[in-house]
Amino acid sequence: MLKVEHLTKKYGKVFANRDVSFELPDGSITVLLGPNGAGKSTVIKSVIGFLKYDGIITVNGLYNKSVEAKRLLGYVPELPSLYPNLTVGEHMEFIARAYRLSDYREYKQELLERFELTDKLKKFGDELSKGMQQKLSICCALLPRPQIILFDEPMVGLDPHAIKELKSLFIELREGGASLLVSTHMIDSVDMLWDRTIIMKDGEVKAEVAKTDLDQNGASLEDLFFTITEES
Ligand code: ADP
């Protein structure tokens, strides 16, 4: 379980996040929505441990910047950041060694097949197209089987096949007990998948809604998003 309590992050005088609190239950898909500049990436980068912030972030009760917590966290950044001098195969081996994985080869093969990278094993990071880099970035993040996975705009740049694979992976990961936080502005792309949504604006959480509650009211995620983000 991921717990974010009173997260506040300022850049100069700008509050990128202001008193943000939420929890990600195990076995759930939470969609993080908000217009550009709402503070979504800042939440994700704070959780993964890249930023200094005020507040408390814990993973299964562990401080998020501890090695034990990092072992449980996975992150797919908005812009893939690969090693230019490592091949596709070497990226996966590097992750396996960094995380000291022992029983990973079958899963590695499965991930590479799902994202159509098996014929690119010898290509270097900087020889890959943007979409292929994004696919490899997803494979690298998932290989250690993290319990909490943060996806920052994961669909951008992916082809339809990869989007389909990613969506079915989301469901499999949830069934396996993982909790996913998916930041996106492509509301349609997650419409059938999510369990909960957190809607941000101006650095603050404006709404946290369960899909079952929204369905009961007969409203769509898009309606909810515009109602909240277009309020003055
Ligand atoms: P989102 O991901 O929702 O588009 P961000 O978290 O990237 O929003 O940004 C939230 C706010 O923080 C914006 O006003 C943005 O300009 C500001 N911000 C983000 N990163 C930086 C930075 N490195 N330096 C200064 N301001 C930043």
Side-chain angles (χ1 to χ4, degrees):
M1 139 111 60
L2 172 75
K3 207 167 178 179
V4 174
E5 295 169 274
H6 308 295
L7 167 63
T8 294
K9 172 70 188 175
K10 264 176 107 176
Y11 288 108
K13 288 186 180 163
V14 177
F15 278 94
N17 287 163
R18 194 198 296 255
D19 200 18
V20 169
S21 296
F22 64 89
E23 289 177 11
L24 291 192
D26 294 340
S28 63
I29 300 176
T30 302
V31 180
L32 184 58
L33 294 178
N36 291 336
K40 306 179 299 293
S41 291
T42 304
V43 167
I44 288 179
K45 287 180 191 159
S46 298
V47 170
I48 205 72
F50 288 170
L51 300 177
K52 285 186 181 167
Y53 55 82
D54 291 323
I56 301 169
I57 303 177
T58 53
V59 179
N60 292 354
L62 301 161
Y63 173 49
N64 69 321
K65 293 188 182 178
S66 66
V67 175
E68 295 82 1
K70 286 183 179 180
R71 179 69 187 78
L72 303 172
L73 285 166
Y75 171 50
V76 178
E78 184 175 4
L79 298 173
S81 165
L82 301 176
Y83 300 100
N85 297 324
L86 292 188
T87 63
V88 168
E90 286 166 350
H91 272 85
M92 298 297 269
E93 285 304 315
F94 175 73
I95 297 292
R97 288 184 203 184
Y99 282 82
R100 298 198 172 93
L101 306 178
S102 48
D103 188 14
Y104 66 92
R105 287 194 172 76
E106 205 175 309
Y107 191 43
K108 178 182 87 169
Q109 189 63 19
E110 183 197 324
L111 287 169
L112 292 171
E113 275 170 21
R114 289 184 85 148
F115 288 100
E116 299 181 304
L117 287 170
T118 42
D119 59 343
K120 310 275 182 314
L121 284 178
K122 294 208 157 48
K123 283 215 180 269
F124 289 98
D126 61 359
E127 290 175 338
L128 299 173
S129 70
K130 160 78 177 57
M132 284 181 217
Q133 290 187 16
Q134 179 72 350
K135 293 177 192 179
L136 179 56
S137 177
I138 293 168
C139 293
C140 287
L142 296 182
L143 189 63
R145 298 184 185 273
Q147 279 184 20
I148 292 150
I149 314 160
L150 312 168
F151 293 90
D152 199 350
E153 297 286 358
M155 316 281 186
V156 174
L158 290 184
D159 56 47
H161 172 81
I163 290 178
K164 187 170 135 248
E165 283 303 328
L166 187 60
K167 285 179 173 181
S168 51
L169 251 173
F170 282 173
I171 292 175
E172 288 165 33
L173 291 165
R174 172 176 62 188
E175 280 169 5
S179 36
L180 279 57
L181 183 66
V182 185
S183 156
T184 184
H185 63 271
M186 295 160 75
I187 299 178
D188 292 352
S189 67
V190 289
D191 214 14
M192 303 306 292
L193 300 172
W194 61 288
D195 304 304
R196 296 164 63 250
T197 184
I198 296 170
I199 301 183
M200 292 188 70
K201 191 184 168 192
D202 301 332
E204 296 179 6
V205 173
K206 299 290 184 188
E208 213 183 319
V209 179
K211 186 168 193 297
T212 44
D213 292 339
L214 196 69
D215 288 348
Q216 270 179 9
N217 295 331
S220 71
L221 186 55
E222 202 169 25
D223 296 336
L224 179 72
F225 177 78
F226 287 122
T227 306
I228 289 164
T229 55
E230 290 180 352
E231 268 172 6
S232 59

